[in-house]
Amino acid sequence: MATAQNILSFLFLHLFFVLLVSNIGNAKGLRLGYYHKTCPSAESIIKKATYQVISRAPTLAAPLLRMHFHDCFVRGCDGSVLLNSTKTNLAERDAIPNLSLRGFNVIDAIKAKVEEACPGVVSCADILAVAARDSVSMIHGPYWEVPLGRRDGRVSILNQVFAELPAPFANITQLKQMFAAKGLNMKDLAVLSGGHTIGTSHCLGFVNRLYNFTGRGDTDPSLDPNYIVKLRQKCKPGDTTTLVEMDPGSFKTFDEAYFTLVAKRRGLFQSDAALLDDPETKAYVILQSSTKGSTFAKDFAESMVKMGRIGVLTGNQGEIRKHCAFVN
């Protein structure tokens, strides 16, 4: 019996090691200038197309950043969030947390332009990673070099979203576990949460904090009572359509104001408030809020590169989709 247990333990550890090495190995398959020979104009085409969109509709920067995040956290950065559901499979984009994603048409349009120049060369996963970077930099956020070479996945499963994507209702323990599972640490958690400096949320994402937090008609004690009064003016119970700015006053501009809000207990989501429940993430919030985001831009760039390496497919894995919403 003991021998059997030892064998099972060994096999489990071996499998874990193989998966870990495989994941790291795949990430090493990414590199700067990946399309230098095969599609030298790829990044400039993506940048130009993204600029044409963001210059007209700067509020689309947040959805493109969010889409990249949602893609990477489920099955890795493989463009699986872009796939349509089929008659036999419900895809990630139809999961409740993804129903509010916007910008699929933007990625499809950019892909079409890239395909005109270099058919069958540049993946949708890479296009999304670059477009997210470009859109952030175009609204006064940081710029970072994006290592490329991701391949597109052929699988997209709705139910995996709930297991792998951090929810706005998550507490600090859940957030720690979910980020650690992706190879991200506590600093990455605090830094990437700062992406909430741009964009909006439906009331549904936080209305429980305003009216019925524990099922007794109460409010969330971790949320500033004065802010609750303001939010109640915008969101009534059962409201599923109203949009609220995550960073009121500068939701179209990438800045450090998010951390000042969280420090004042005015983060919109429970997952924002949770950053004050851990010494390391709380220290980061206080640092950025008290120094006008002294290191936030640099830190965000570094964490985005790190996130962009999660579970990537490289080499001969996956495929290069012709259309981002469909497998070949």
Side-chain angles (χ1 to χ4, degrees), residues 28 47 97 100 102 122 132 140 162 178 208 229 287:
K28 286 181 178 178
K47 183 176 182 179
S100 59
R102 294 187 298 131
V122 183
H140 311 295
F162 301 102
M178 298 184 98
N208 67 310
V229 173
L287 171 67

Side-chain angles (χ1 to χ4, degrees), residues 191-252:
V191 171
L192 293 173
S193 295
H196 288 168
T197 182
I198 53 174
T200 57
S201 169
H202 286 93
C203 294
L204 197 62
F206 58 88
V207 73
N208 67 310
R209 305 181 75 195
L210 310 181
Y211 295 101
N212 198 26
F213 189 60
T214 64
R216 300 174 183 174
D218 54 345
T219 58
D220 183 348
S222 69
L223 187 58
D224 175 6
N226 294 322
Y227 197 39
I228 288 175
V229 173
K230 290 185 177 181
L231 291 173
R232 278 181 162 184
Q233 291 171 358
K234 297 178 180 179
C235 296
K236 303 303 178 188
D239 187 335
T240 59
T241 56
T242 303
L243 288 169
V244 176
E245 298 171 10
M246 289 195 280
D247 185 356
S250 68
F251 78 106
K252 295 180 185 178

